Structures are given as C-alpha cells and as structure tokens.
Amino acid sequence: MALDSYAIGIDLGTANTCVGVYLDGRVEIIPHEGRSSMPSYVAFTETGRLIGAAAKSQVGINPKNTVFDALRLIGRRYSDAEVQADMKHFPFQVLEKKGKPVISVEYRGNTRHLTPEEILSMILSRAKKDAEIYLGSTIMGAVITVPSYFNSSQRQAIRDAALISELPVLLLINGPTAACSDYVITRRFEGERNVLVADFGAGTFNVVLASFEEGILEVKSTASDLHLGGEDYDNRMVNHFVNEIKRKTKKDLTVNRRALRRLRTACEAAKCELSSRKQTQIEIDSLYDEFDFTSTITRAWFEELCQDLFRSHLDPVERVLRDAKMDKSSVHHVIVIGGSSRIPKLQTLLSYYWGGKELSKFLNPDETVARGAAIHAAIMSGYNSKSSNLDEFLLLDVAPFSLGIETAAGCMTPIIKRNSTIPIRKSVVVSTYEDNQTSFLVSAFEGERALTKYNIPLGEFSIQVSPAPRGVPQIEITFDCDRHDNKWVTAAERGTEKGKIYLRYFDRLSPEEIERMKVEARIYDAVDKAEAERVSARNALESHVYSVKRDVSSSDPRNASILRVATLADILLRWLDENQSAQASEYLLRLTGLREVAASITSESIDTDTTKVEAVERVQMPVQPIQAPPSQPLKKPPPSADTGADANSAPINVTFSAGNWQKTFKDST
Amino acid sequence: MIGQDHYAVLGLSKYRYKATEDQIKRAHRKKVLRHHPDKKAAAGSTEDDSFFKCIQKATEILLDPIKRRQFDSVDEAADVDPPSKKETLKGNFYKLWRPVFEAEA
C-alpha cells in the first residue's frame, strides 16, 4: 500500500537517534548512512554543517564545534545543577542567554550562539530528510519519544525543536512506553498481561509498568532515576584507572582533560566488551607525557566497582510496583532495553529480584523504541484504520507529573495526580484563606514536592471573589489535560464567570523566536545544499580532468593539440590542488572551458587522427548537467581580465574560450 | 459535568448498581477504544476529548467501591416508581411490585 505521505516514529536519544516507519503491517528502520541509528551529533566547520555519523566521526579533530548531548540541555535553565555539572564534561562552550543555556560554535568563521532547540531541530530535520529519501515521499508528521522523566518545559522544548524543523509532531510519548507497545504488538498476547519495561539509558534509568488486555495498553506507573546510567559506570571505571595511574606513576591525570577524555572513551569500550568477555585490556598510547598506558580489568572487578550503582536500580522498580499497587508476582513480563541492558550483572540482578524469572529480551534493544514510535505514528495518522492489527490497539498514557495549585503557606495541592491516565479533567472546590478576601490567586505548579517552591511554576492568574468570611466562598478550580499534555486551568467562584488560562512553561521560546529560527534553519539548509553542489562541481571537474589526462596519455604525445590539452589538464589539476574551497561557479567555469577546448581539438583534427577523435569523444561522455546555485549565475569573465596573465598566475587566469586559452597557453610556454 | 450519569456514559444503564466490576471494565475498554483522541485523530475528525474525559471519570468512580456507593445512593435513575393505583387494581401484584421491592431492599 503506497501513500503519498507517511508518518514516522523518531527515537530521539541523548546519544543516538533512530527512525522507524510502519509499512505493510510491520516496522522498518530507516537507515542513516548505512546504519540503523544516527548519532545525535551536529558539527560546525569552516565550510558548513555536518549532522549525524559525519559529525561524530570528526569529533576528534573538531571537538570545540561538535555538539552532542543537546538533549541534556534542552528545556533547562542555565543555573540548573544538571546543566552546570554536564558543562564540565562538554568540550564545546555553553553560555548563558536570558537564563537559558546556549551553545557557542564557530560556523564558517563566525561565532554563533545556538539554543539546544536549534541543535535538536537539525537532528530532527536530518531524520526527516533520511526518511523522505528512503520512502521517496513526503513526511506528514512524526511521533517523537522523550525520556519519561522529561517535564513540561522539556517536552515543550522538543515540540519547539520540531516546529523549527517544520516537522509536525503527532504525539510525544515516553521511550519505555513505546518499547512496551512494540513488545505487546509483536507478541500478540491473550488475556491480561502486566509488563514492566526497564530502560537502561546512558544517563538515566526509567521504569514503566503497564497492563495489556484486549488491545488496550494501559500505563500504570512510571519511575526513574535521573542519575543512574551507563555513563556513571564509565565514571567509576575512569576513577579506578586514574587512581591506578596515580599509584603506579605518581601522576595526576585529572588535570589533563584530553588524556581524561581518551581514558573515558577507552573505558566505555572496555565496559561494552566486558558484557561478552570475562576480562579485557585497556591500551592507550602516549596517554600522558609519552606514557603508554596498559591495564587489564576483569568483569568481576568491574561489577565490584559499580555494585552499589547496580543495586540502586532496584529502587525505581520497587517504586513503580508500589505506585501501581501491584505485587511483583503479578508482573508477567520483564523487558530490558537500552545499552546497559547488556550488562550480565544487571540482568541477573533483575532476574534474581523476580526469583530467577527469565527476562524478555529484544532482538534489538536499540531499535525497539523507534519501532514503538512508528506504530503510534501509524495509528495517529490513520494509516492502518482500515486494515490490520493496529485497529484494535490503543495506548492509555499517563501524566508524568502531578499538577496542582499553591495553597496556604506555599503548599502544593495536587489536583491531577501523577500516573493518572490522560486526557483527564479534574475539579476541586477550594475556599478563601482570609476574611473578606476580594481576589483569589490561582497559581499552578507541576512536580511531586510538598512545597511549591521546589516544583515548576506553570502559570498563575487571579479571579474576583465576593467578600465573605474565610472559608465561605466556594471556588471551583478545574484542570484539563489533553492527549498532548496541553493543560488548561479554569477557576471561578460558583455561579460567576470563569477565568481560564492555558498553562505553559514560562521560559518557552516565543513564536517570534521560533519563526526566526525557522528562517535560519532554511538558511543553514541552503548553505548545506550550496556546499554539496560546490563539492560535486569540484568532483566533476576533477574527474573530467583525470579522464582527459587518461585519454591524452594514450594518444600521440607529439601532436600539438594533444599536448595543449595535456598541459591544460595539468594546469587545472594544480589549480584544483590550490583551490579546494573555490565557489561552485568557478569550478563549473573551468569545466565548461576544458570541454570547449577538448571539443575544439576534436573539430580541428577530426580528419587526421581517428584515435584522438575517439579519445575526445570519450572526454565528452561523462558530461553531466550540473546546475549552479541560483544565487551565483555562471558568468564568464570579461576577455580583458586575462590578457595580462603571466606564467605564474596562469593556472588561475586560464580562460576558457578556445582562442583565448591558446594565447594564454603560449604565454606560459 | 455535575450530574453526569456514569452508567449511561459507559452504556450500562440497563444494569446500574447491579453491574459487576468485570462488566464495568469491559464497557470501559469498549468505549475507550472508540472514543480515545488517538483514534479520533486517525479518523480525521477534530480532536475532541471531552467525552473521553467523561468516560474516564465514570470508570474511576464506578471502580472505586466507596465512590460507587456514594453515587448509587443518590442515583435517581435507579429509582423504580411504584405502580400507579390504576395498575395495581388490575395487574398482577408480584409482577408489578417485584422491581420496586428489589430496588428498595
């Protein structure tokens, strides 16, 4: 079944982004440069912008302008403890702008300040482009997964990022929930099934408990630990080796950032290897002052280093069970996803917690989230409304945080409780706190803490109340939360007109800013496109020059016109070597010039030398029409410009009408 | 919202307080599949989730034993009016009064 427009699922991860699409009853993963996932990296260089694998592969030579982990910064304030802590590890520069973090990069020789939203929008638009190429059609929208601990502000920031990349968001869902959907859809269970998904991410640990019956997947509860993940194990191992180096060589590695970075990369690789092997070696040449570092680590030693971290994975697991009021024996399936789910110790730990129960593993823990997202994209877009199994499938998602109002003495009174199924509407009746109060301030917060000052403010407004003794007026406050996590609050004294606000995080990007970023994103795209054209023009010229050279080398070298072409080819090669970053139009100019010369020779000597005719014809064969960027129309330089060309500047001033070229050529010989 | 008939929302008007928990769960699932905004978005209609919210509220109350008793105790739709005088004169006593006694018991 072919459609002119598809909905895709995007697993937007801290480290990797994976894209899936639902086609003919199953999910396909859209490849990024031959691999199933795209590194969430964006790099800025002298010539342009790189996204994905290309950006990651050059991180070593361009660390300052290669941005990653933007997901850790998005929707946060600069002063947040997490941002401050993460900044210490980032090789790129993070600055403050209106209280929010911005990333400073060098792009084509200029310093630019980019918000995390812009970085993610680049990743999203790349994902969209990959999908468009793969499917050969347009993308109508996407379901994007987010870490389940993301608050409203972070979720909104993701929406803004999608808005900038002009990718309509059909839905945002939590990563583990998406994985769970994938699991129950692939397995097609009968009867009631309770499924627990444990997502071992790079920086966080998320758990979701859901029950599935007759096509309805109802999320019961979620919990997460925001500082527990693969990177924490890396840190432990790095510290271990830093101490070892200190002990053995009396050198403090922590002062050398580059060495530390290299040690970290090696530790990460060693950690991955220890999942399949009992012991592994770390070797880093000239880690520090010509000092080659070699060491061995066993799996048991690694497990010992991280034992307390491994243990603390059980806390969120216990919390979801408690929140869902479920016994661990009523959980039918335990699914583990995420990179660290491969660590044997973690698997046995979870399995042991369930009394030796076998864990359900996915064939591919890295793709399953994108698969789940793709399934939801198909449902939301109505792709499958007629046919198969998705028709009977529905996800009941929950609100990730409690929503409430501030009551006397700064207390948080939750109205919509955490883990309630959304969409939802809830009302409460409250009253005044003082005698003859004339106005009542409704301030809405999100979060689990008992005092509002620790929670996230969402908005506030005041309503009129008729004066009365305290406790008499009845004020009804209603919270509304829809499928997309949009929230409204209405409040009014019974029987009067209602005040209503739409809740949003205060720090959101303004529509003007989004509009500006949209325009900028288009400029980036145009620049990238021009750069691609420039490179292809250069390659076209280069390959043409080489093919000419090849052809003349097999011809008679004493023939003057052949010699002429050969020399021109050499000149052009030298010019190419010196002008790797010329404009596309300059390359095209020379390309057409070379063709004209070659053509003129063909007509000159067509009767005398048949082999040469063949050669020249072959020269003309690889001609491909190359369009110059519209902004730079192909112009021939005025004839006067090259009359004064001397031998040294000849390569640059070679002109390309046949007659003039001969003149220049004579001058230079 | 005030005065919503939770049984009617779930299509259980026939059973009212006699509906079992299982019936309520089943009815809820059936309604949810039809009225969830995700499904409506797919069908192309505008995303109006107000009825879904009603379904959720109804289920929440009916699956909570205390809240359900509170609702049932003032559930006027469950009241069975006694037969009129005219009917009693010529009708079968048991047939006419059984529902009334059942309801009031």
Side-chain angles (χ1 to χ4, degrees):
Chain A
M1 173 165 152
L3 290 177
D4 17 310
S5 187
Y6 289 90
I8 52 173
I10 302 177
D11 167 19
L12 188 61
T14 317
N16 286 299
T17 298
C18 187
V19 188
V21 66
Y22 191 84
L23 285 175
D24 298 325
R26 58 193 201 87
V27 178
E28 277 184 43
I29 296 296
I30 292 166
H32 168 80
E33 297 184 359
R35 269 169 286 180
S36 67
S37 68
M38 157 166 77
S40 306
Y41 279 59
V42 179
F44 298 87
T45 65
E46 283 295 302
T47 49
R49 185 182 61 156
L50 300 167
I51 304 170
K56 192 176 183 181
S57 62
Q58 55 90 68
V59 65
I61 54 170
N62 186 19
K64 278 198 165 150
N65 298 315
T66 307
V67 185
F68 53 91
D69 278 2
L71 207 64
R72 286 174 186 268
L73 295 175
I74 199 161
R76 291 187 185 276
R77 300 188 67 85
Y78 183 77
S79 51
D80 282 0
E82 286 90 349
V83 172
Q84 291 296 325
D86 283 338
M87 268 168 57
K88 294 196 188 95
H89 303 296
F90 288 155
F92 49 86
Q93 205 182 6
V94 181
L95 302 170
E96 182 178 359
K97 195 176 177 187
K98 289 191 222 150
K100 295 172 72 177
V102 291
I103 297 149
S104 167
V105 292
E106 291 277 321
Y107 176 63
R108 294 167 74 90
N110 297 317
T111 306
R112 282 188 170 263
H113 292 177
L114 294 166
T115 58
E117 283 93 334
E118 281 174 288
I119 301 288
L120 285 185
S121 83
M122 290 170 188
I123 293 167
L124 287 176
S125 64
R126 177 60 198 255
K128 180 182 170 193
K129 209 158 51 176
D130 280 344
E132 276 171 349
I133 292 167
Y134 181 78
L135 296 167
S137 74
T138 53
I139 302 302
M140 62 173 284
V143 170
I144 301 175
T145 66
V146 293
S148 45
Y149 60 88
F150 260 30
N151 62 29
S152 301
S153 135
Q154 289 165 313
R155 282 164 206 258
Q156 187 56 55
I158 298 280
R159 282 176 191 279
D160 288 345
L163 213 57
I164 296 166
S165 61
E166 296 177 67
L167 179 67
V169 179
L170 300 172
L171 195 64
L172 288 186
I173 54 173
N174 295 333
T177 313
C180 198
S181 313
D182 180 32
Y183 186 77
V184 294
I185 289 244
T186 354
R187 300 293 167 99
R188 319 187 113 252
F189 293 116
E190 295 287 324
E192 192 182 346
R193 291 279 164 189
N194 295 322
V195 185
L196 183 133
V197 185
D199 177 5
F200 298 87
T204 60
F205 177 57
N206 302 303
V207 190
V208 166
L209 180 60
S211 92
F212 180 71
E213 190 176 2
E214 288 177 31
I216 295 178
L217 181 67
E218 191 176 355
V219 179
K220 294 284 185 191
S221 60
T222 61
S224 40
D225 189 324
L226 306 191
H227 286 280
L228 186 61
E231 284 172 7
D232 296 296
Y233 314 141
D234 297 347
N235 286 341
R236 286 287 167 94
M237 221 202 275
V238 169
N239 288 345
H240 163 73
F241 285 120
V242 164
N243 288 338
E244 187 182 311
I245 292 167
K246 217 179 205 168
R247 210 170 51 238
K248 283 184 181 161
T249 68
K250 306 265 180 300
K251 270 175 185 156
D252 186 14
L253 205 65
T254 47
V255 292
N256 187 336
R257 276 188 145 194
R258 204 176 108 82
L260 212 54
R261 177 77 227 170
R262 290 180 63 202
L263 180 61
R264 176 178 298 273
T265 315
C267 284
E268 205 183 319
K271 176 188 71 177
C272 296
E273 254 181 50
L274 283 178
S275 294
S276 55
R277 290 166 57 183
K278 290 278 181 199
Q279 75 168 40
T280 185
Q281 264 203 326
I282 283 194
E283 275 173 56
I284 310 172
D285 292 340
S286 49
L287 176 66
Y288 194 77
D289 295 344
E290 304 292 305
F291 162 64
D292 296 344
F293 177 64
T294 322
S295 186
T296 317
I297 185 163
T298 61
R299 188 192 284 178
W301 190 240
F302 170 65
E303 283 165 4
E304 179 62 32
L305 282 174
C306 306
Q307 200 185 24
D308 56 319
L309 292 178
F310 288 164
R311 285 241 140 248
S312 52
H313 278 290
L314 290 180
D315 295 344
V317 173
E318 276 166 6
R319 209 155 57 232
V320 286
L321 289 171
R322 207 166 49 231
D323 283 354
K325 299 186 188 73
M326 233 185 247
D327 185 37
K328 65 180 172 186
S329 60
S330 55
V331 175
H332 300 92
H333 300 275
V334 180
I335 307 170
V336 288
I337 57 170
S340 305
S341 67
R342 297 188 182 91
I343 297 178
K345 183 75 186 172
L346 279 176
Q347 292 178 3
T348 44
L349 194 75
L350 271 186
S351 161
Y352 185 71
Y353 182 74
W354 264 276
K357 187 184 180 67
E358 194 156 326
L359 304 181
S360 315
K361 272 170 254 164
F362 280 103
L363 287 176
N364 205 330
D366 303 321
E367 285 175 6
T368 180
V369 174
R371 286 176 183 278
I375 288 170
H376 284 287
I379 295 174
M380 294 297 290
S381 64
Y383 168 66
N384 239 62
S385 56
K386 284 168 236 70
S387 51
S388 67
N389 52 354
L390 291 192
D391 203 18
E392 290 294 301
F393 179 74
L394 180 69
L395 169 72
L396 294 181
D397 213 345
V398 295
F401 293 94
S402 299
L403 278 178
I405 51 163
E406 185 178 76
T407 47
C411 281
M412 167 90 177
T413 306
I415 292 177
I416 294 181
K417 292 218 175 60
R418 185 166 145 255
N419 292 333
S420 358
T421 303
I422 51 172
I424 191 168
R425 175 184 292 144
K426 280 257 182 171
S427 310
V428 284
V429 175
V430 295
S431 193
T432 48
Y433 179 56
E434 280 169 9
D435 288 342
N436 296 325
Q437 206 171 317
T438 52
S439 76
F440 185 91
L441 184 73
V442 183
S443 34
F445 288 85
E446 173 185 88
E448 309 310 317
R449 305 287 294 267
L451 292 180
T452 50
K453 65 177 170 187
Y454 299 120
N455 291 328
I456 298 165
L458 293 176
E460 58 181 24
F461 64 104
S462 63
I463 55 163
Q464 299 292 317
V465 211
S466 40
R470 58 185 281 189
V472 172
Q474 288 196 314
I475 299 155
E476 187 177 8
I477 300 177
T478 306
F479 272 68
D480 261 282
C481 181
D482 78 0
R483 183 74 190 89
H484 301 283
D485 230 14
N486 299 318
K487 305 173 187 87
W488 295 266
V489 186
T490 48
E493 197 178 349
R494 280 259 163 95
T496 57
E497 204 166 310
K498 290 190 172 178
K500 176 175 182 172
I501 55 160
Y502 175 63
L503 290 184
R504 50 165 226 175
Y505 194 65
F506 287 135
D507 272 352
R508 215 197 129 170
L509 295 174
S510 68
E512 296 81 41
E513 278 176 303
I514 290 178
E515 211 42 55
R516 177 180 60 79
M517 288 174 182
K518 254 190 200 173
V519 172
E520 276 176 16
R522 279 189 214 126
I523 294 172
Y524 282 121
D525 277 347
V527 169
D528 284 355
K529 211 171 150 207
E531 171 69 12
E533 272 165 8
R534 200 184 66 78
V535 171
S536 77
R538 193 181 71 204
N539 289 345
L541 176 60
E542 206 170 340
S543 68
H544 196 70
V545 168
Y546 276 114
S547 77
V548 166
K549 264 178 77 87
R550 200 170 50 240
D551 288 330
V552 295
S553 67
S554 58
S555 317
D556 180 12
R558 279 158 301 173
N559 186 315
S561 3
I562 295 287
L563 198 64
R564 222 182 293 149
V565 178
T567 320
L568 175 62
D570 284 337
I571 291 169
L572 279 176
L573 265 188
R574 224 183 319 143
W575 179 84
L576 265 170
D577 213 33
E578 285 162 13
N579 296 278
Q580 288 286 322
S581 50
Q583 296 286 317
S585 56
E586 291 181 72
Y587 292 123
L588 289 175
L589 200 63
R590 281 164 177 79
L591 183 64
T592 30
L594 181 60
R595 278 188 199 139
E596 274 173 31
V597 173
S600 72
I601 293 165
T602 323
S603 51
E604 223 171 75
S605 49
I606 195 150
D607 308 320
T608 52
D609 193 342
T610 44
T611 55
K612 194 176 68 213
V613 175
E614 269 172 40
V616 176
E617 270 170 1
R618 252 181 287 140
V619 167
Q620 285 173 323
M621 267 179 32
V623 172
Q624 288 151 356
I626 293 159
Q627 296 281 308
S631 56
Q632 296 155 340
L634 186 66
K635 272 184 285 191
K636 290 206 173 190
S640 61
D642 29 72
T643 43
D646 62 23
N648 291 337
S649 63
I652 298 157
N653 285 326
V654 170
T655 45
F656 297 107
S657 74
N660 272 353
W661 173 75
Q662 281 167 353
K663 182 176 178 298
T664 321
F665 174 67
K666 272 172 205 151
D667 285 345
S668 60
T669 43
Chain B
M1 287 298 280
I2 298 162
Q4 167 184 319
D5 182 348
H6 302 313
Y7 290 110
V9 166
L10 292 180
L12 292 170
S13 312
K14 217 161 70 183
Y15 302 101
R16 307 217 72 89
Y17 65 96
K18 282 177 245 163
T20 63
E21 201 181 304
D22 191 50
Q23 275 174 321
I24 294 168
K25 273 189 184 161
R26 229 168 255 283
H28 171 243
R29 223 174 276 132
K30 214 169 82 190
K31 288 281 169 188
V32 151
L33 258 184
R34 276 211 9 234
H35 294 284
H36 192 274
D38 283 7
K39 293 286 170 187
K40 289 197 162 178
S45 66
T46 50
E47 274 189 53
D48 177 15
D49 53 19
S50 53
F51 190 61
F52 182 81
K53 285 171 181 165
C54 295
I55 297 171
Q56 286 303 108
K57 189 177 178 181
T59 317
E60 187 198 316
I61 287 174
L62 296 186
L63 285 183
D64 180 331
I66 297 170
K67 284 185 182 158
R68 188 173 175 194
R69 278 298 286 269
Q70 285 171 350
F71 175 75
D72 285 344
S73 67
V74 291
D75 186 5
E76 284 180 13
D79 287 351
V80 180
D81 289 328
S84 65
K85 211 159 201 177
K86 218 170 172 185
E87 282 171 322
T88 28
L89 284 176
K90 53 182 178 178
N92 180 332
F93 178 85
Y94 294 104
K95 200 177 160 192
L96 285 172
W97 284 94
R98 173 170 284 150
V100 180
F101 284 123
E102 261 177 15
E104 301 295 333

